[in-house]
């Protein structure tokens, strides 16, 4: 075999290791860990219990007095709108051991379908991204972030259908409150009928789901969210967490992030008019304005990544680089928090600031 042939063979073997073996091993490993986790050892346990509770008409929310003074690694009470608990009902009716497997497969399927809806056809994009910390964490602890990614991808794919896109926006906003800027995308891009459908559907879904459980937890819900911000926010990767790490108090940090989010919303609405850049900018507003930001929230970055390049390019490796310090909790480290936020800026900027794009979207040849 010639030297050139040896180089081609080495590249081929290296490509298989990078794009096939490593991602498969990562998913298998985290799948095994997730399925093996018992009650109370994953976010999915919280969703499963909440789903079973609301099906019986019970209250899925913790009492304020029961919340600890300090959050530990497995502290994960249900604090979503009741809509989310009802959406988990089809899985919650299954025995926990079976439900875990079903939900793990559902999450991975949602990710694949999301990239398909975003127009990604290069198989290497799937295998590289599936081994990134945001995807691995989502699948490994059983959160709904990949389902939210699918919802946003479908919102983009069916943006020409007013009722459909309005219902998708409502589903995303009511399942995870920090995605409220999506509604403003409908308004900004002139989808007024979709915006009306989205607002109406969101209000109806929240009201109906809370009515179904006898309005349990509604009065204390704002206070519950505030307590959760103080307990979990400093351990995440948000701007709020960065402020707390710098010594800013809880109340001031929360108000500052809220104000920053509103300013960012106004800037995004004024600066970006086209569908693609406006959607990415408003996803950026959502990530900037939330006081609690975990690595699995960053699966939403695959929307701007797919917009920037539908084939494998450097930008697809940005989420993978988070393995440099792949910890679920920042533990209040400014460097960790800043690193995660810089990754967000790089990916979002590749779409909203075209001058950043050329090197980031240079396609990597298949044989590389």
């Amino acid at each position: 075999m010639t030297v050139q042939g040896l180089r081609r063979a080495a590249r081929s073997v290296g490509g298989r290791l990078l794009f096939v073996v490593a991602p498969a091993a990562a998913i298998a490993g985290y799948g095994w860990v997730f399925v093996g986790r018992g009650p109370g050892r994953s976010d999915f346990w919280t969703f499963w219990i909440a789903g079973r509770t609301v099906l019986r008409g019970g209250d899925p929310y913790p009492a304020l007095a029961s919340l600890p003074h300090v959050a530990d690694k497995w502290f994960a009470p249900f604090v979503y709108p009741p809509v989310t608990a009802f959406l988990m009902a089809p899985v919650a009716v299954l025995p926990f051991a079976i439900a875990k497997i079903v939900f793990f497969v559902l999450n991975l399927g949602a990710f694949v379908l999301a990239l398909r809806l975003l127009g990604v056809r290069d198989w290497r994009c799937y295998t590289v991204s599936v081994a990134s910390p945001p995807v691995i964490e989502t699948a490994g602890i059983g959160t709904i972030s990949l389902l939210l990614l699918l919802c946003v991808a479908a919102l983009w794919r069916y943006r020409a259908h007013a009722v459909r896109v309005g219902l998708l926006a409502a589903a995303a906003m009511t399942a995870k409150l920090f995605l409220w800027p999506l509604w403003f995308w409908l308004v900004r891009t002139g989808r007024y009928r979709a915006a009306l459908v989205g607002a109406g559907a969101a209000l109806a879904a929240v009201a109906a789901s809370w009515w179904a459980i006898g309005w349990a937890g509604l009065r204390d819900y704002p206070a519950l969210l505030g307590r959760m911000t103080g307990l979990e926010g400093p351990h995440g990767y948000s701007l709020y967490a960065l402020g707390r790490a710098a010594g800013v108090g809880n109340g001031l940090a929360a108000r500052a992030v809220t104000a920053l989010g509103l300013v960012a919303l106004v800037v995004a609405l004024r600066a970006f008019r086209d569908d693609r850049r406006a959607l990415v900018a408003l996803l950026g507003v959502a990530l900037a304005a939330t006081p609690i930001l975990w690595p699995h929230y960053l699966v939403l970055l695959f929307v701007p990544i797919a917009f920037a390049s539908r084939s494998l390019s450097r930008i697809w490796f940005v989420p993978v680089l988070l393995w440099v310090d792949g910890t679920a909790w920042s533990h209040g480290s400014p460097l960790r928090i800043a690193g995660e936020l810089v990754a967000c800026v790089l990916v979002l900027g590749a779409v909203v600031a075209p001058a950043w794009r050329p090197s980031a979207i240079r396609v990597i040849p298949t044989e590389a």
Side-chain angles (χ1 to χ4, degrees):
M1 181 179 291
T2 65
V3 173
Q4 188 176 5
L6 286 171
R7 287 176 178 171
R8 279 200 298 267
R11 285 198 299 267
S12 179
V13 171
R16 288 189 179 92
L17 288 173
L18 177 62
F19 299 120
V20 179
V21 177
I27 286 297
Y30 273 79
W32 181 263
V33 170
F34 172 63
V35 172
R37 280 176 173 158
R41 306 289 287 182
S42 67
D43 282 30
F44 178 67
W45 169 256
T46 301
F47 291 120
W48 186 78
I49 286 293
R52 294 175 80 86
T53 301
V54 298
L55 286 176
R56 298 192 297 267
D59 180 2
Y61 297 106
L64 284 173
S66 70
L67 296 178
H69 295 292
V70 179
D72 62 24
K73 181 179 180 182
W74 300 114
F75 176 66
F78 185 81
V79 293
Y80 298 78
V83 175
T84 309
F86 280 101
L87 291 175
M88 293 298 293
V91 179
V93 298
L94 300 173
F96 184 59
I98 297 174
K100 285 188 293 185
I101 298 172
V102 170
F103 195 70
F104 184 77
V105 174
L106 182 65
N107 257 331
L108 294 182
F111 181 66
V112 172
L113 182 55
L115 293 191
R116 293 286 296 181
L117 290 175
L118 292 169
V120 178
R121 298 295 183 265
D122 189 336
W123 65 271
R124 297 170 302 165
C125 296
Y126 291 78
T127 57
V128 166
S129 54
V130 83
S132 65
V135 177
I136 289 292
E137 183 183 346
T138 301
I141 63 176
T143 75
I144 62 170
S145 293
L146 287 174
L147 299 177
L148 294 175
L149 170 64
L150 175 60
C151 196
V152 176
L155 180 145
W156 172 257
R157 172 64 178 80
Y158 300 110
R159 61 192 181 279
H161 304 270
V163 174
R164 201 176 302 180
V165 77
L167 292 176
L168 286 166
M173 293 185 297
T174 54
K176 196 77 169 175
L177 293 177
F178 87 99
L179 288 175
W180 57 266
L182 290 178
W183 186 81
F184 287 91
W185 179 72
L186 299 177
V187 176
R188 182 67 185 88
T189 57
R191 294 176 169 86
Y192 302 119
R193 184 183 172 198
L196 287 174
V197 170
L203 291 173
V206 170
S209 60
W210 238 308
W211 170 82
I213 59 173
W215 308 102
L218 178 60
R219 185 179 61 181
D220 292 334
Y221 192 66
L224 178 62
L225 294 181
R227 285 289 304 277
M228 287 299 296
T229 294
L231 284 168
E232 291 197 328
H235 302 292
Y237 292 86
S238 64
L239 290 172
Y240 166 86
L242 190 61
R244 292 298 305 275
V248 180
N250 175 41
L252 179 57
R255 290 191 295 271
V257 168
T258 300
L260 180 63
L262 293 175
V263 171
L265 175 65
V266 172
V267 171
L269 293 177
R270 289 179 62 87
F272 305 107
R273 299 176 180 276
D274 61 286
D275 286 357
R276 193 179 304 256
R277 295 173 70 201
L279 179 59
V280 171
L282 289 168
L283 283 176
V285 172
L287 295 174
T290 179
I292 300 177
L293 177 63
W294 300 118
H296 60 81
Y297 287 26
L298 301 191
V299 296
L300 293 170
L301 293 181
F302 287 105
V303 173
I305 287 173
F307 285 170
S309 175
R310 293 182 180 178
S311 296
L312 188 67
S313 58
R314 295 174 184 175
I315 196 171
W316 284 92
F317 289 92
V318 173
V320 179
L321 292 176
L322 296 176
W323 280 119
V324 172
D325 186 28
T327 56
W329 277 28
S330 69
H331 298 288
S333 168
L335 278 178
R336 284 176 171 167
I337 298 169
E340 203 103 351
L341 294 176
V342 166
C344 293
V345 171
L346 289 174
V347 171
L348 297 169
V351 176
V352 300
W356 295 16
R357 296 180 60 183
S359 63
I361 63 171
R362 188 173 299 145
V363 175
I364 299 173
T366 305
E367 60 269 25

